[in-house]
Structures are given as structure tokens and as C-alpha cells.
Amino acid sequence: MKASLPSTQKGAAAIEFAAVFVIFFAVFYAVVSYSLPLLMLQSFNEASSEAVRRSVALDPATANYDAAVITLARATVADRLAWMPSSLGFNAANDAKVTLNGKLLTVRIDYAKARLNQVIPFLTLPGVGTVPNLPDTLSAEASLQL
């Protein structure tokens, strides 16, 4: 009457490993893959806020004040987001919209998720869904009354 425990548990370790590995991999990949979009979104928020902040410092007596404000805001956005590599496909001239309606300056940055998918592969994991699960557009906006 020898009951050998290891012989009755031959495949249990492999099954447990497979179940735990899927969960571990999903969490690990989520942390890694959400890092870049969150960094980009934080940078978009900072760049748009800084653009409107710097525009306040411009003297209203400046010739062509409206055009100067828009130019300064665009330059600030481009300067703050210059760290982004070209592989991300970000173009400050196209992705950042600067508008001045009366005295309200608005800086809006929109970045399509499809361009990010070229850099970070999106995975569809069973039971988890798409990782990273992002909105169609990463957007940031800042406004200021001049």
C-alpha cells in the first residue's frame, strides 16, 4: 500500500503554471504597455498648460498680438514635446490646435490611438480583453482667458 504523492500529481504543476502565467503576463504587459500612453498624455497636458501659461506673459501692446499669441503657443507645444521620437508619429503642427476666440486662448492636442499601435503591439488576451485598452484619441486641452 504505497501511495506515492508525486506520481498522482504529474500534470498539476504545469496546469497551475499555465493559469498563473496568463494572469502574470497580462498584468506585466499592462504595466509596460500603459506606461508610454500615460507618459504621453501627461506630457500633452503639461505642454498645453505651459503654452497658455506662457502666452499670458506676452505684452498685449505687441504688434499683431493675436498672431503672436498663437505663434508662441505653437512654439511652446513643439518645444515641450520635442522629446517624442519620430517613430510615434507625433507632429506638433498637425496634432496641436491653437485657437484664439476673442480673449479665450485654447490649446488642444489630439493623438490617434492607431499611430500608437504602430509602436506598441496591442494584445487581445482571453478573459482580459485588449491590452492596453485606450480611447480612440489621446487628448489634452487647456484654456485661458487673456
Side-chain angles (χ1 to χ4, degrees), residues 69-99:
V69 165
I70 290 172
T71 302
L72 179 60
R74 287 186 189 280
T76 302
V77 167
D79 179 54
R80 290 295 182 169
L81 298 175
W83 68 266
M84 296 178 73
S86 60
S87 61
L88 291 174
F90 179 78
N91 183 348
N94 296 330
D95 296 330
K97 307 290 184 251
V98 180
T99 57

Side-chain angles (χ1 to χ4, degrees), residues 20-145:
V20 171
F21 180 76
V22 169
I23 295 169
F24 172 76
F25 181 76
V27 170
F28 176 75
Y29 190 76
V31 168
V32 171
S33 64
Y34 276 106
S35 304
L36 182 61
L38 289 176
L39 173 65
M40 290 173 63
L41 192 56
Q42 182 62 28
S43 296
F44 294 160
N45 282 316
E46 192 274 333
S48 60
S49 297
E50 186 64 21
V52 295
R53 218 175 290 126
R54 284 193 185 175
S55 298
V56 171
L58 195 60
D59 184 11
T62 303
N64 296 325
Y65 176 72
D66 290 354
V69 165
I70 290 172
T71 302
L72 179 60
R74 287 186 189 280
T76 302
V77 167
D79 179 54
R80 290 295 182 169
L81 298 175
W83 68 266
M84 296 178 73
S86 60
S87 61
L88 291 174
F90 179 78
N91 183 348
N94 296 330
D95 296 330
K97 307 290 184 251
V98 180
T99 57
L100 182 60
N101 293 329
K103 295 287 183 181
L104 181 65
L105 175 66
T106 303
V107 177
R108 181 174 179 84
I109 301 171
D110 292 315
Y111 182 81
K113 174 177 82 170
R115 287 190 275 166
L116 189 59
N117 196 10
Q118 297 172 4
V119 179
I120 300 173
F122 290 14
L123 299 179
T124 303
L125 299 175
V128 177
T130 303
V131 178
N133 188 9
L134 300 172
D136 291 334
T137 305
L138 298 179
S139 300
E141 183 177 38
S143 299
L144 185 68
Q145 189 78 27

